[in-house]
Amino acid sequence: MTTDQVLIGVGLILVLAVGSQILAGRLNIPALIVLLPVGFAAGALIDDVDPERLLGAAFSPLVSLAVAVILYDAGLGLDLARLKGHTRRVVLRLIWIGVPVTGLLGTLLAAPLLGMSAQAAVMIGAILVVSGPTVVGPLLGFVRPKDRLQRLLVWEGSLIDPVGGVLGTLVFHGVVAGSRHRLGGGVEYFLVSMGIGAAGGAVGAALLWVLFRVLRLGEVLGTTAQLAAVIGVAAFCDVLRDDTGLIAAVVMGLAVANLPSMDVPARRPFFETLVSLILGLLFISISATVTPHSLRHVWLPALGLAAFLVLVVRPVVAVVSTLGTELTRGERGFIGWMAPRGIVAAATASTFSAGLVAKGIGGASKILPATFVVIVATVTLYGLTASPVARRLGVVRPSRSRPLLVGGDPWVVDLGVALKSAGLEVLMWAGEEQQRERIRQAGVELAPGELLGAATGGVAELEGITAVYFLTAEDDFNALAAVLLRGSVEGTVHRLGAPADSHGVVAPFIGGEVLFGPDLTWPTFSRRYEGGAVVLGQPADDVPRPGSDLLFLVRRDGRLDPVTEGSTPLSRPGDTAVLLVPGARGTESPPE
């Protein structure tokens, strides 16, 4: 290819990847539904976007390393403290029962349905066992199921990808060798691969510990060091044994997220942005390698295979894996309706099918197009139906706001009580034990002590939290924490404004969403509370007491709209106004 062709090809792939994600966001649908057909159409119409022509032999290794970065980011979001009880039991069952059952049943149907040899059928059966966070995460973010259910499915997707990658490698080498591995030999190969990946992950985690704890790298170098360590360790493991780098990446992410000695200076938003870009590039690139000709005699049988996996295999796996657990019938049903195939399936199909075609394995040329059809079918089906199915099963998180209030002063606790009385599920956090006890006595849910530290450290997300409000007396803490927490919560992050005469080091100079306006600062709240003011809720249609200040509007549908420096929400019939009312203590009290 000429230099101009390479430039056009790379530029088009990047533009199509980001453009597809933007279009999906505007249409309010999962991005994968747009990425896959756009990549396929681009590959069919424009020769310059073919990644195998652009990158040659480097394409497959680069895909493997890109997937390792994705799995590392997925590992950063996995909290081992939450993998316990029934959640752990179900996740482990979904893997050690789901993988062999899915692989076996997929193999048995693929051979007659796709008209391929037994070797090629075993290969595609192994490829299609994986799901992965690359597709499950965006779909769950779109559906918003209950916290326990989301956590369970994210764990399954994050752990099954490296297991499926190693299984695919094992099957590939067995088919190429032309011999059927004895069970003992296959188990030995699998365990050695897992050991190499785990050892590589441990070495990578130790390297990151040295970089963070000994060298004390700052945020910029700390972020690039993580990226370099993940790619370097994954590449080295893949040299030792194919696809073990995926295991190492997950282990490194888990270590950074869960080891208390890891002092990570970098924040996850960089990786989230990088992963979003990588996903777009990978799906466009791999889809472009599938030609219309290769689909001509494959698409209909492959749709039948996808239907079998969706309607028969996954429900059976879900039923068996959730037997004897405390999961509700709706949660079990949704687990049985969430198993889309993603980038690991596409990457392994792209890598292994070419090798099997070169070895003359019958039907190997159908592996990639059939896998592509299954990916498109499952992503489209789940993407379009997951939300209505979740609503029908009653497993969607309530649409009502779930705010986190940070602070434990009396007026903040009364604010939490008022919001709770208005029908919201309020969560509060405070650092001092006296303040935490005040929150408990008020009957408001108290967040775990480590919650905020984990979130601001960039290694955990605040699941189910729709907005965070920093209301402490420390202006600089409010400002810095608000900056650090952006990206770890579904909605917005607000803070109290600093007084005009503040001597704070940070707060007067950091922008962001400031609550209530320039006059309602923490000293103002404290002074007015000492003078008898109180925070309470009342119907927005009622006339407020003179001198009252509007703080929030709780909408009729449960949404919470705050008053900010830049805007004051307009009330509508059925809304509840949360006010700071002067001189009300002793004559009326906040609703219980």
Side-chain angles (χ1 to χ4, degrees):
M1 297 184 71
T2 65
T3 301
D4 289 346
Q5 289 175 316
V6 172
L7 290 173
I8 292 173
V10 172
L12 277 175
I13 291 175
L14 182 60
V15 170
L16 290 174
V18 177
S20 297
Q21 292 171 326
I22 294 174
L23 177 61
R26 300 295 296 176
L27 296 176
N28 198 30
I29 59 176
L32 302 183
I33 296 178
V34 180
L35 286 166
L36 292 171
V38 167
F40 174 72
L45 299 174
I46 308 171
D47 292 337
D48 291 343
V49 299
D50 184 350
E52 293 177 339
R53 294 183 62 205
L54 286 171
L55 301 174
F59 176 57
S60 181
L62 287 175
V63 169
S64 179
L65 295 178
V67 173
V69 174
I70 293 171
L71 293 180
Y72 173 75
D73 179 72
L76 289 177
L78 299 178
D79 185 358
L80 288 174
R82 300 191 177 192
L83 185 64
K84 55 187 178 182
H86 290 277
T87 300
R88 178 173 57 191
R89 187 187 310 172
V90 173
V91 169
L92 294 179
R93 286 179 180 177
L94 285 171
I95 293 173
W96 70 262
I97 294 176
V99 167
V101 169
T102 304
L104 176 61
L105 294 180
T107 297
L108 292 176
L109 188 65
L113 198 61
L114 293 170
M116 56 175 49
S117 65
Q119 297 97 319
V122 171
M123 188 72 258
I124 195 171
I127 288 170
L128 294 178
V129 302
V130 297
S131 177
T134 59
V135 284
V136 173
L139 286 177
L140 293 180
F142 184 73
V143 176
R144 298 182 70 251
K146 293 180 178 179
D147 291 348
R148 178 173 65 176
L149 189 55
Q150 176 159 338
R151 192 180 311 127
L152 191 153
L153 290 169
V154 168
W155 266 104
E156 180 203 6
S158 299
L159 295 181
I160 205 171
D161 264 4
V163 172
V166 172
L167 177 64
T169 304
L170 169 64
V171 171
F172 173 76
H173 287 298
V175 171
V176 169
S179 63
R180 300 178 184 272
H181 277 282
R182 292 177 294 105
L183 178 62
V187 171
E188 179 185 356
Y189 183 98
F190 183 81
L191 292 178
V192 170
S193 297
M194 297 294 288
I196 292 174
V203 171
L207 175 62
L208 290 176
W209 183 88
V210 171
L211 294 173
F212 298 151
R213 299 284 292 185
V214 179
L215 300 183
R216 300 286 182 182
L217 298 182
E219 183 170 319
V220 174
L221 281 179
T223 302
T224 54
Q226 287 184 78
L227 184 60
V230 172
I231 293 177
V233 169
F236 182 74
C237 289
D238 282 346
V239 169
L240 295 178
R241 184 161 292 191
D242 290 344
D243 284 331
T244 54
L246 304 183
I247 303 171
V250 172
V251 171
M252 290 177 67
L254 282 169
V256 171
N258 293 277
L259 292 180
S261 59
M262 283 288 187
D263 185 16
V264 185
R267 292 158 46 216
R268 283 195 65 192
F270 169 80
F271 280 98
E272 292 169 350
T273 302
L274 180 63
V275 165
S276 177
L277 180 61
I278 288 175
L279 281 175
L281 295 175
L282 287 182
F283 275 110
I284 291 291
S285 299
I286 294 177
S287 300
T289 64
V290 180
T291 64
H293 177 75
S294 67
L295 291 175
R296 183 175 302 171
H297 302 296
V298 172
W299 71 271
L300 190 56
L303 283 178
L305 178 60
F308 179 70
L309 293 172
V310 169
L311 300 176
V312 178
V313 177
R314 180 63 178 187
V316 169
V317 170
V319 168
V320 174
S321 300
T322 57
L323 283 175
T325 66
E326 63 184 11
L327 295 177
T328 66
R329 181 179 298 179
E331 289 172 328
R332 293 190 183 102
F334 190 74
I335 291 173
W337 195 254
M338 183 52 61
R341 273 57 181 180
I343 196 62
V344 173
T348 52
S350 175
T351 300
F352 297 145
S353 64
L356 295 183
V357 169
K359 293 292 182 179
I361 302 298
S365 60
K366 299 178 181 179
I367 291 177
L368 179 58
T371 302
F372 175 79
V373 171
V374 172
I375 293 173
V376 173
T378 56
V379 168
T380 303
L381 178 64
Y382 291 129
L384 296 178
T385 64
S387 286
V389 167
R391 288 193 297 269
R392 183 67 180 266
L393 295 174
V395 296
V396 179
R397 281 201 299 264
S399 59
R400 306 180 73 84
S401 295
R402 189 190 183 202
L404 170 64
L405 308 184
V406 180
D409 294 296
W411 71 268
V412 181
V413 176
D414 283 353
L415 173 61
V417 172
L419 293 176
K420 181 181 178 182
S421 299
L424 301 185
E425 184 182 351
V426 180
L427 190 66
M428 295 190 68
W429 184 92
E432 299 179 8
E433 184 55 36
Q434 180 183 1
Q435 294 179 337
R436 296 175 67 82
E437 182 60 30
R438 184 182 295 132
I439 294 170
R440 292 189 192 98
Q441 292 179 357
V444 181
E445 183 180 354
L446 182 64
E450 71 278 3
L451 173 69
L452 202 63
T456 53
V459 296
E461 293 188 3
L462 299 177
E463 293 180 348
I465 300 297
T466 58
V468 181
Y469 302 104
F470 287 96
L471 307 169
T472 75
E474 298 294 332
D475 295 324
D476 283 346
F477 168 80
N478 294 340
L480 285 172
V483 171
L484 290 173
L485 211 58
R486 290 180 193 133
S488 296
V489 65
E490 295 177 7
T492 55
V493 180
H494 295 76
R495 64 179 175 89
L496 278 178
D501 57 351
S502 171
H503 297 292
V505 177
V506 177
F509 309 104
I510 290 184
E513 296 285 351
V514 177
L515 287 169
F516 310 142
D519 296 329
L520 283 179
T521 60
W522 189 91
T524 304
F525 273 101
S526 180
R527 183 175 62 254
R528 291 176 61 173
Y529 235 64
E530 290 175 359
V534 71
V535 175
L536 55 81
Q538 67 177 44
D541 295 336
D542 292 357
V543 178
R545 180 173 299 184
S548 298
D549 290 286
L550 177 65
L551 306 179
F552 293 91
L553 279 177
V554 181
R555 300 299 186 182
R556 186 175 182 177
D557 60 2
R559 291 183 298 107
L560 181 63
D561 288 340
V563 175
T564 66
E565 255 187 352
S567 66
T568 300
L570 299 177
S571 64
R572 295 189 289 267
D575 293 347
T576 298
V578 178
L579 307 163
L580 177 64
V581 181
R585 195 175 304 138
T587 59
E588 55 179 310
S589 58
E592 295 295 334

